[in-house]
Amino acid sequence: MSSPYMPTVRPRAIANWLYLVAALIVAIVVVGGITRLTESGLSITEWKPLTGVVPPLNDAQWQAEFANYRRIPQYQAIHAGMTLAEFKGIFFWEYFHRFLGRFIGMVFLIPFVWFAVRRRIPQGYFWRLFALFALICLQGTFGWLMVRSGLTHRTEVAPGWLATHLLTALFTLAGAIWTALDLRDLARDPAARPARITTVGAVTAAALLVQLFYGALMAGLRAGLVAKDWPLMNGALFPGVSQQGEGIGAMLTGDPAIVHFIHRWWAWVAFAALMVLARRVRTSDRRASIAIHAAVGVQILLGIATVMSEVDIAFAALHQLVGALLVVATTWGVQAAGRRAVTRPVS
């Protein structure tokens, strides 16, 4: 494997490629959110990784797809009586979501193979890049398992699978950004070491992970519709349970009112952690600090707007977009703190 000091390696080129991959992941997260909001996710009832790239091209193929959709419970419960033209509308979003997933896979795989064959990958980074590609493949698998969970007795996908699908995408996004930042540092200084996760970074990442997990459950349970007022929920600080006879685990992850309550108030725990991180990196990477401040502020405002608008699609999609950008900003800040830790002179 190439040494980082060999002239053939191209850390900056690889970093720029990973930034492109990250931008595409942000895009697919937003499209996935719109797909869920428009009840489009179950419109394609089969998983065809290769042949599925070609959409229906004639009336017979469209009728066959529509017939498949009419067999699942969601059609009768939510879209009964819809026309073929209306079906094409929800089919578009799910098809576009899957197309983007395939496109991201190709945008990653082809340059990765080229960089590896041409010995452009710096020492120590091949397996990190391979792990990112494995995550992309795993993401597609989780996406199908999520869809499959809603094709039998349910009228929507299982919230747990939706959370797994979304969090895997955001974890892949964070990995791509972190690796790109490490490579950017290597391009500037051939002796630069990869950043490490500091205590502050780990605590902040954990706090944000909890918030993202509950955000995914909010989407899967449609918990945003439980209350449209803020800061109270239906006139009360604590809404109480909306389901009876549930165990503590089911209540914390499956009760829409409790999930909404946790997501609403844990946001301030994540906010506090992010402010500490932003302050920590303010002198070493001011742009990362500014990005964290901007993203978390806008995200909180969009969350409030989404609730008070009764989950208006525009607000909800923007909330998901800025959520992905907050992951980018947080990764930037955690990496900056870790870079500062490995470059701090030893006394």
Side-chain angles (χ1 to χ4, degrees):
M1 189 174 293
S2 299
S3 163
Y5 305 100
M6 292 178 63
T8 58
V9 300
R10 294 291 184 270
R12 189 174 298 278
I14 298 175
N16 290 337
W17 159 59
L18 289 176
Y19 286 138
L20 171 61
V21 172
L24 290 171
I25 294 174
V26 170
I28 200 172
V29 166
V30 175
V31 171
I34 296 173
T35 301
R36 203 280 307 165
L37 289 163
T38 55
E39 303 287 357
S40 303
L42 299 179
S43 58
I44 302 178
T45 59
E46 297 176 310
W47 192 32
K48 300 176 180 177
L50 297 178
T51 60
V53 72
V54 181
L57 299 176
N58 55 50
D59 187 66
Q61 291 175 349
W62 276 113
Q63 291 293 349
E65 290 286 350
F66 194 21
N68 288 337
Y69 179 65
R70 292 199 300 268
R71 295 189 186 101
I72 67 172
Q74 187 189 76
Y75 171 78
Q76 293 296 333
I78 299 175
H79 290 149
M82 76 178 338
T83 65
L84 179 60
E86 291 170 333
F87 171 71
K88 289 180 179 180
I90 65 171
F91 185 97
F92 166 79
W93 285 111
E94 176 63 6
Y95 172 79
F96 188 35
H97 187 55
R98 295 193 189 193
F99 175 84
L100 270 178
R102 293 181 175 96
F103 184 65
I104 290 170
M106 290 299 99
V107 168
F108 194 99
L109 178 61
I110 294 172
F112 177 43
V113 171
W114 189 89
F115 283 128
V117 170
R118 301 288 294 178
R119 301 178 65 82
R120 298 294 195 256
I121 301 175
Q123 185 176 7
Y125 283 86
F126 175 86
W127 291 111
R128 287 175 65 171
L129 296 174
F130 182 85
L132 286 174
F133 180 67
L135 280 171
I136 290 171
C137 295
L138 188 63
Q139 173 70 359
T141 303
F142 285 156
W144 169 244
L145 292 173
M146 178 187 68
V147 169
R148 193 175 67 173
S149 72
L151 296 179
T152 53
H153 62 283
R154 303 178 64 94
T155 60
E156 72 287 317
V157 300
W161 278 117
L162 188 149
T164 301
H165 186 54
L166 177 58
L167 292 179
T168 304
L170 295 176
F171 184 75
T172 307
L173 172 63
I177 292 294
W178 186 291
T179 304
L181 290 169
D182 276 351
L183 286 164
R184 183 194 63 179
D185 294 339
L186 186 63
R188 292 172 176 170
D189 178 8
R193 292 177 292 166
R196 64 177 178 85
I197 299 179
T198 62
T199 300
V200 169
V203 170
T204 304
L208 182 59
L209 176 62
V210 172
Q211 183 66 2
L212 294 170
F213 172 68
Y214 273 94
L217 291 181
M218 284 275 288
L221 294 168
R222 292 161 179 76
L225 298 172
V226 168
K228 64 177 181 179
D229 50 340
W230 189 90
L232 301 178
M233 293 181 63
N234 298 322
L237 177 63
F238 182 70
V241 298
S242 58
Q243 302 179 32
Q244 300 297 325
E246 300 287 343
I248 185 67
M251 183 181 73
L252 292 175
T253 60
D255 187 298
I258 301 304
V259 166
H260 187 147
F261 175 80
I262 294 173
H263 185 62
R264 182 180 288 211
W265 294 107
W266 186 265
W268 300 105
V269 176
F271 174 82
L274 286 162
M275 291 302 97
V276 171
L277 174 66
R279 183 175 180 83
R280 181 65 60 89
V281 302
R282 183 175 58 184
T283 55
S284 59
D285 197 329
R286 184 172 177 79
R287 291 185 303 165
S289 179
I290 292 172
I292 293 169
H293 278 94
V296 72
V298 173
Q299 180 70 342
I300 288 174
L301 292 175
L302 284 172
I304 296 170
T306 300
V307 167
M308 297 188 72
S309 67
E310 299 183 81
V311 193
D312 175 80
I313 288 182
F315 281 129
L318 285 171
H319 188 51
Q320 190 137 332
L321 167 62
V322 178
L325 295 178
L326 179 57
V327 170
V328 172
T330 303
T331 304
W332 186 2
V334 174
Q335 197 271 352
R339 182 174 69 246
R340 177 184 177 187
V342 299
T343 56
R344 186 181 298 131
V346 178
S347 56

